[in-house]
Amino acid sequence: MEKKNIDWSNLGFGYVKTDYRFVSDFKDGKWDDGKMTQDDKVVISECAGVLQYAQTIFEGMKAYTTQDGRIVTFRPDLNASRMADSARRLEMPVFPEDRFVEAVVETVKANAAYVPPYGSGATLYIRPYMFGSNPVIGVKPADEYQFRIFTTPVGPYFKGGVKPLTIRVSDFDRAAPHGTGHIKAGLNYAMSLHAIVDAHQQGYDENMYLDAATRTKVEETGGANFLFITKDGKVVTPKSESILPSITRRSLMHVAKEYLELEVEEREVFLDELKDFAECGLCGTAAVISPVGKIVDHGKEICFPSGMEAMGPVTQKLYETLTGIQMGKLEAPEGWLKVIE
């Protein structure tokens, strides 16, 4: 398929309308067959459950053009599984996981002209989401839902090169114990908006959220998991029941162990041990890994030996290996790449 006439190298990380999106409705206790549509407008009641009580969940993933010209997406089965977990937690009907993957493939295939070419640094972002669509005025789950997928081409997250971030330890709590921090619900992101705006106004790139119960343990940022490298090269990620199980983070831990033969550990990470790490990064779909150069804890600076100029050496190897797998430069573990066409 001939590509759209887009300046791929100058794309930002924003919304660009593509030709098709997938829509399926849940009504009378079952999902319909779903369809592709060119209509990008969502029409719902003013009293829809999503508008009144924030009953909405979503996923984020990407499609890539590999070195040999295939269009692939990365581990969509894990997105399907995580969205099913999110739906169950918010009392929403689960969109079947096999149909989720099929719908992703169908939507990307329909918008293949918008998948950026290999080497451009750009990708096709995929956003599956679901929301309560029928009128709900009492506090209860909706009876009807809509599941949709749209796509948008996005540029490289680091335009002009990688610059390590400066993060502050936040006074706000992201998620309560036994709350919804482990699912990808819109409400979790809404509550983080004030905190991130405040952080930016104070000159910081992001917030580090601590556990709400003791405020002694590292959790995550508003939209990414933490990854730390010890001075002897071990890869460590925080373990908590109230952080989102990042697919990128899980993939990086596998890459560290199986490709780079590094020791890996998922455990509780305490704020007072940050000074002992050699490198720090944030991992997620958008950037894969964003390096962190400095964390500020109420005026006290914790500066990582990797510095403020570039990724640390281990973080760089992790980034290059995972993106190499995604782009088809390196052999992927079985099932990691879903070929679209």
Side-chain angles (χ1 to χ4, degrees), residues 140-171:
K140 64 174 186 174
D143 298 312
E144 298 176 6
Y145 296 85
Q146 192 165 98
F147 171 81
R148 300 176 68 98
I149 304 174
F150 70 80
T151 60
T152 181
V154 295
Y157 196 80
F158 296 119
K159 290 181 77 72
V162 176
K163 180 173 172 51
L165 308 175
T166 298
I167 291 178
R168 72 168 181 185
V169 176
S170 180
D171 288 326

Side-chain angles (χ1 to χ4, degrees), residues 98-177:
D98 57 341
R99 288 191 57 197
F100 176 104
V101 175
E102 290 169 4
V104 166
V105 170
E106 188 179 345
T107 308
V108 174
K109 189 176 291 187
N111 293 295
Y114 290 93
V115 180
Y118 175 78
S120 64
T123 53
L124 186 73
Y125 188 82
I126 308 163
R127 172 53 60 87
Y129 62 111
M130 187 198 302
F131 54 88
S133 55
N134 69 294
V136 178
I137 196 66
V139 181
K140 64 174 186 174
D143 298 312
E144 298 176 6
Y145 296 85
Q146 192 165 98
F147 171 81
R148 300 176 68 98
I149 304 174
F150 70 80
T151 60
T152 181
V154 295
Y157 196 80
F158 296 119
K159 290 181 77 72
V162 176
K163 180 173 172 51
L165 308 175
T166 298
I167 291 178
R168 72 168 181 185
V169 176
S170 180
D171 288 326
F172 297 99
D173 291 329
R174 176 188 164 271

Side-chain angles (χ1 to χ4, degrees), residues 194-217:
H194 173 67
I196 191 62
V197 169
D198 183 66
H200 290 166
Q201 289 173 343
Q202 302 298 323
Y204 301 101
D205 296 301
E206 254 293 2
N207 290 291
M208 169 180 280
Y209 291 106
L210 305 179
D211 72 296
T214 71
R215 298 194 56 79
T216 62
K217 292 175 279 192

Side-chain angles (χ1 to χ4, degrees), residues 197-339:
V197 169
D198 183 66
H200 290 166
Q201 289 173 343
Q202 302 298 323
Y204 301 101
D205 296 301
E206 254 293 2
N207 290 291
M208 169 180 280
Y209 291 106
L210 305 179
D211 72 296
T214 71
R215 298 194 56 79
T216 62
K217 292 175 279 192
V218 174
E219 294 247 303
E220 62 167 275
T221 70
N225 283 187
F226 278 101
L227 182 147
F228 300 98
I229 312 297
T230 65
K231 288 174 182 173
D232 59 357
K234 182 191 294 184
V235 183
V236 178
T237 61
K239 184 176 184 178
S240 168
E241 295 300 318
S242 54
I243 64 175
L244 188 75
S246 164
I247 293 166
T248 304
R249 187 259 301 163
R250 282 179 273 173
S251 302
L252 286 167
M253 295 297 273
H254 179 89
V255 162
K257 183 179 180 181
E258 302 298 335
Y259 283 68
L260 302 181
E261 299 183 338
L262 298 172
E263 189 176 349
V264 301
E265 188 176 21
E266 183 182 2
R267 62 169 172 82
E268 292 182 335
V269 174
F270 289 86
L271 179 62
D272 62 9
E273 66 176 300
L274 294 185
K275 63 185 185 303
D276 300 323
F277 290 115
E279 302 173 37
C280 174
L282 306 179
C283 47
T285 300
V288 180
I289 304 179
S290 303
V292 175
K294 180 166 60 177
I295 295 172
V296 181
D297 179 12
H298 299 87
K300 175 186 171 186
E301 293 191 352
I302 302 164
C303 300
F304 295 102
S306 52
M308 293 297 296
E309 298 302 319
M311 283 188 182
V314 176
T315 305
Q316 184 72 40
K317 286 180 185 176
L318 287 168
Y319 174 82
E320 290 174 352
T321 306
L322 187 58
T323 55
I325 290 170
Q326 291 171 334
M327 294 296 176
K329 295 179 185 177
L330 300 174
E331 185 174 352
E334 187 175 354
W336 276 29
L337 296 184
K338 179 71 174 177
V339 178

